[in-house]
Amino acid sequence: MEKLNFKKRFIFPVLTVFLVMATSWIIYNLAWRIDTHFIHQAFATIFGTLLFVSVTFGALFIYPLAYFRGASLTERVAASLINPFLWATKECFRLLVSFTFFESLYYYFNPLSIWLFFGVFAQMGLVEMICRKKLKNQGQEITAMHPAALAVFLVSLFLVIFLYAWGQGENIYVIFLEWFRKFFGPGVGIITST
């Protein structure tokens, strides 16, 4: 497998998903300005969905593209995590309007961010095995079910499911709030994001 230059194996896959994510976010946030209710709802639904898909499932595009362009494991993992990290960072910065820097920084540990990052790791483990299987089918001597990739996939998927199934995510959210109150006091009730 040929190793392409850094721009093609790393920047292109990340930037492609980033542009979909950023454009979707901008259009979604401007959709409320459209006076026609039907068009407003259509734009909000389409671009809100694109935003969700690009942030949540971008690794399904980035990881295999980087893999087959010769990116190292470190590069593939970093490339897959950049956009979710940027999205989470953007959400933290948005909270600076109402919360202190450290309160906003704590927001990284909210249940949605935790689910997102475990979900991205589950995707990376799965796609690693799929890419290896494709190479094996092409005649390369490679183990498709790599133990580390399988472990990352299974543990991450288990944590995503468990954290949601445990009280439909409410229990982990209560823990998040309790620790927020321990660190920052009881004056704030709920941190929400759009």
Side-chain angles (χ1 to χ4, degrees):
M1 185 167 47
E2 182 187 353
K3 185 172 185 174
L4 300 181
N5 66 42
F6 186 74
K7 183 178 176 183
K8 289 180 181 176
R9 74 177 186 262
F10 187 92
I11 294 175
F12 175 78
V14 171
L15 190 58
T16 302
V17 172
F18 176 79
L19 290 174
V20 172
M21 180 180 78
T23 304
S24 300
W25 180 75
I26 290 167
I27 295 173
Y28 176 80
N29 282 299
L30 293 175
W32 67 271
R33 295 177 184 229
I34 300 171
D35 290 332
T36 308
H37 179 72
F38 172 76
I39 296 173
H40 162 240
Q41 288 300 313
F43 270 64
T45 301
I46 290 166
F47 290 99
T49 302
L50 269 176
L51 175 61
F52 172 78
V53 169
S54 62
V55 171
T56 309
F57 300 107
L60 294 177
F61 172 81
I62 292 170
Y63 196 95
L65 196 57
Y67 186 99
F68 290 115
R69 290 178 173 207
S72 68
L73 176 61
T74 303
E75 289 174 336
R76 296 191 304 265
V77 170
S80 297
L81 289 173
I82 285 175
N83 288 317
F85 174 76
L86 290 174
W87 176 80
T89 301
K90 182 247 328 157
E91 292 299 308
C92 289
F93 275 108
R94 289 177 63 187
L95 291 174
L96 286 172
V97 173
S98 303
F99 296 92
T100 69
F101 173 78
F102 290 109
E103 288 171 330
S104 299
L105 192 61
Y106 178 79
Y107 188 69
Y108 272 112
F109 301 102
N110 78 73
L112 286 178
S113 292
I114 292 169
W115 280 319
L116 174 62
F117 283 98
F118 282 139
V120 170
F121 274 99
Q123 292 170 55
M124 288 189 286
L126 177 64
V127 174
E128 174 74 23
M129 292 184 290
I130 292 170
C131 292
R132 287 169 155 272
K133 176 71 171 156
K134 185 172 181 178
L135 290 178
K136 185 172 184 152
N137 290 345
Q138 293 173 352
Q140 290 191 26
E141 296 214 9
I142 190 169
T143 305
M145 295 292 265
H146 191 275
L150 182 60
V152 167
F153 170 68
L154 292 175
V155 169
S156 298
L157 184 62
F158 170 78
L159 289 169
V160 168
I161 294 169
F162 172 76
L163 292 174
Y164 178 76
W166 185 37
Q168 295 181 328
E170 189 174 313
N171 292 331
I172 193 72
Y173 185 67
V174 168
I175 292 169
F176 168 74
L177 286 179
E178 284 300 315
W179 279 100
F180 183 88
R181 289 182 186 111
K182 285 181 183 182
F183 288 132
F184 306 110
V188 179
I190 298 176
I191 298 177
T192 60
S193 172
T194 55

